[in-house]
Each structure stands twice: as C-alpha cells, then as structure tokens.
C-alpha cells in the first residue's frame, strides 16, 4: 500500500514563501512520476510541478521562475519551494505519484495554501 504524507502549506502574504514536502511510503514503490498538483473549487486539478524518472522536471508556466521542485531519492520525498507567492496561487495542493507502466496514480490528502493580498 502506497501512502503519500504531505506537510507544509498554510497562510502567507503575497510575496512570501512556503515549502511543501511529500514523502512516499512503501519500501518497494519507485515512482516514475511524482510531484505537486493544485485545485481550486469548481476547477480541475492542474499540474504545478512534477519530476519524472529521468530527472526532468515539468513546471506549469504560471509558476516557472518562482517554484522549485526537488527530490530526495533516498527518502522518496519531493519538495516544492514556493517563492514570490501570489494570491492566484491560493489552492489546495496535492502530492501525486505514479509507478512505472500500467499503475494507478496515488494522491495525498492535500494541503491548503492561502496567499493573502
């Protein structure tokens, strides 16, 4: 059973920073994709940043230059450093991970990020 344990998030003023972390449990789980997604009420969940097994990282255009995703392979943990936060970054952030091949996508329970203007 794979579990994604998230931490971080909270309330911050515009221009501030937050750091999210997500640890994947399950000793044999080696995700092929792992990253952060966000969702606001009434809208679809969207990619924020994700790292694939090659090490390449994809960012949403809206966060490029402000957010940085990193991964600690030994801990199976990804970190999302969010700088220069804007009110439009306000959302519930979810960690997602998928194994190789035909594999389900696992989700964390989400953590709220609220950026006040």
């Amino acid at each position: 059973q794979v579990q994604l344990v998230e931490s971080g998030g909270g309330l911050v003023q515009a221009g501030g920073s937050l750091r999210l972390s997500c640890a994947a449990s399950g000793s044999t789980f080696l995700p092929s994709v792992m990253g952060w997604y966000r969702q606001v009420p009434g809208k679809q969940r969207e990619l924020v940043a994700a790292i694939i097994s090659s090490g390449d990282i994809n960012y949403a255009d809206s966060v490029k230059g402000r957010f940085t995703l990193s991964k600690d392979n030994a801990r199976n943990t990804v970190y999302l450093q969010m700088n220069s936060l804007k009110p439009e970054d306000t959302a519930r952030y979810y960690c997602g991970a998928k194994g190789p091949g035909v594999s389900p996508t696992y989700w964390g329970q989400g953590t709220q990020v609220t950026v006040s203007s």
Side-chain angles (χ1 to χ4, degrees):
Q1 183 72 14
V2 176
Q3 286 189 321
L4 302 178
V5 180
E6 302 155 332
S7 61
L11 173 64
V12 65
Q13 287 189 331
S17 298
L18 285 173
R19 188 189 194 215
L20 307 182
S21 65
C22 171
S25 67
S27 60
T28 61
F29 181 60
L30 295 175
S32 60
V33 183
M34 190 169 179
W36 287 94
Y37 304 75
R38 65 188 181 188
Q39 189 170 21
V40 296
K43 291 191 176 182
Q44 286 190 330
R45 192 170 298 184
E46 63 176 11
L47 170 72
V48 177
I51 184 168
I52 61 177
S53 54
S54 66
D56 290 339
I57 300 175
N58 293 321
Y59 292 97
D61 288 343
S62 59
V63 307
K64 284 180 181 176
R66 300 188 297 122
F67 291 10
T68 302
L69 183 74
S70 60
K71 188 171 185 279
D72 183 335
N73 289 320
R75 291 181 168 84
N76 232 2
T77 299
V78 291
Y79 305 94
L80 184 68
Q81 179 66 42
M82 305 185 293
N83 298 329
S84 303
L85 282 160
K86 304 175 181 180
E88 51 263 44
D89 294 318
T90 295
R92 191 162 185 84
Y93 284 68
Y94 294 88
C95 178
K98 182 184 178 303
V102 179
S103 171
T105 297
Y106 300 95
W107 296 101
Q109 62 184 14
T111 184
Q112 180 67 32
V113 171
T114 302
V115 184
S116 63
S117 56

